[in-house]
Amino acid sequence: MASFGWKRKIGEKVSKATSQQFEAEAADDKDLADDDAANWVHATKRRKKILVEDCVKKSKELKDEGANLAEKRRYREAIQKWDKALQLTPEDATLYEMKSQVLMSLHEMFPAVHAAEMAVQRNPRSWDAWQTLGRAQLGLGEIALAIRSFQVSLHIFPMNPEVWKEDLSWARKLHEQQKATKTEAVQALAKEKELSQESIPDYDFESDEIVAVCAAIAEKEKALSAAKTVVIVSASGTVETVTERENCPTAPDETLFIRAR
């Protein structure tokens, strides 16, 4: 069996000059590796920047194509172009705002409101996005929400005469009409309820007068049910009315031809 003993370190056999040369070469290799890593990071960032620039450029081309189609009233094709552009630049608020306008032209109000809300989320400082949102909300009948959107648009751009004179003025007018209609409806309902209550008199069914009337009617009905009227037509054509009692019915004579009750 081989025995294992203490061994000297290998470094003791290496001369000082050789050791220094090895350390210098290792330092050069490390610097070269660091340079390669820096170059790789720089190249990656550059490729990413170029890719983003290409996406933005292609998105702008699609946006312009969609705008031209929208001006020609080819709304569906315009929406297709803008949807492709949104895949490249999903944070572009103007694409959503333009899409909302086209959807309103197609009378698709729910998607129009959603697109305008996406535009506002991506750019809350865009006065035209708030204006488009207000118009879409107005198309849904959400007048109070539309007024708020127009007010935000004016807060961002106070000198916009279109929002002030047209959009907000029209929305407030509709709001006043809506309030007047609701007031009239409430008044009509209240009047109808009041008339219905007045048309039903408040009888006291336990009063002495009502009890006496009911008793008289019951006696009369009892008397009528006790007597029966019989119409007798003889063979010669004579018509005779005979009243018979339940206990003593009237016996017809031999001349009876027809008996009718």
Side-chain angles (χ1 to χ4, degrees):
M1 175 182 289
S3 61
F4 295 93
W6 177 83
K7 294 181 180 180
R8 291 187 303 172
K9 296 181 179 178
I10 297 176
E12 294 180 358
K13 295 182 179 181
V14 181
S15 64
K16 186 176 182 180
T18 305
S19 176
Q20 291 176 349
Q21 182 180 359
F22 176 78
E23 291 176 356
E25 291 176 355
D28 292 340
D29 292 341
K30 182 180 180 181
D31 293 339
L32 183 61
D34 292 340
D35 292 341
D36 291 341
N39 292 334
W40 179 83
V41 172
H42 179 72
T44 302
K45 290 182 178 180
R46 181 172 177 79
R47 283 196 298 269
K48 184 178 181 181
K49 182 179 179 181
I50 294 174
L51 180 61
V52 171
E53 290 176 352
D54 290 341
C55 289
V56 172
K57 182 178 178 181
K58 182 61 176 178
S59 176
K60 186 178 183 305
E61 293 176 357
L62 291 169
K63 182 194 294 185
D64 294 339
E65 291 176 6
N68 293 330
L69 291 170
E71 290 179 358
K72 298 176 183 178
R73 298 181 182 276
R74 296 163 63 179
Y75 298 133
R76 295 295 180 186
E77 298 176 51
I79 291 176
Q80 292 177 359
K81 294 290 184 180
W82 291 334
D83 285 339
K84 291 180 181 179
L86 283 170
Q87 293 179 0
L88 300 172
T89 54
E91 298 301 318
D92 191 344
T94 58
L95 287 170
Y96 285 105
E97 191 270 332
M98 295 165 67
K99 183 178 178 181
S100 178
Q101 292 187 51
V102 169
L103 288 169
M104 280 190 284
S105 299
L106 294 172
H107 303 287
E108 298 181 8
M109 294 304 172
F110 282 104
V113 170
H114 180 263
E117 288 176 344
M118 297 291 285
V120 168
Q121 290 177 6
R122 279 153 179 75
N123 188 6
R125 300 295 301 172
S126 173
W127 65 266
D128 49 353
W130 282 104
Q131 180 188 25
T132 302
L133 177 59
R135 290 178 175 180
Q137 291 168 336
L138 206 60
L140 279 181
E142 297 292 343
I143 301 176
L145 293 177
I147 290 175
R148 179 185 177 277
S149 298
F150 293 142
Q151 289 174 342
V152 175
S153 179
L154 279 174
H155 180 74
I156 298 171
F157 184 25
M159 302 305 295
N160 189 347
E162 184 181 15
V163 178
W164 179 264
K165 295 180 180 180
E166 297 180 13
D167 296 317
L168 187 58
S169 176
W170 174 245
R172 285 178 173 173
K173 184 178 180 180
L174 291 177
H175 187 59
E176 293 297 328
Q177 292 178 355
Q178 187 183 53
K179 288 172 59 178
T181 302
K182 288 183 178 179
T183 302
E184 292 176 359
V186 171
Q187 291 177 352
L189 184 62
K191 186 175 181 181
E192 183 180 354
K193 184 178 180 181
E194 183 180 353
L195 290 174
S196 63
Q197 291 177 350
E198 291 179 355
S199 61
I200 302 176
D202 188 11
Y203 291 115
D204 184 6
F205 291 98
E206 295 183 358
S207 63
D208 296 337
E209 292 81 1
I210 297 297
V211 173
V213 170
C214 292
I217 292 174
E219 290 295 332
K220 185 176 180 181
E221 291 292 333
K222 183 178 180 181
L224 290 176
S225 62
K228 297 181 181 179
T229 302
V230 178
V231 179
I232 300 175
V233 181
S234 62
S236 61
T238 305
V239 179
E240 183 179 1
T241 301
V242 179
T243 301
E244 60 180 6
R245 301 288 179 177
E246 291 183 355
N247 297 331
C248 51
T250 303
D253 57 4
E254 295 80 1
T255 62
L256 178 63
F257 180 73
I258 298 175
R259 183 174 180 179
R261 294 185 182 274

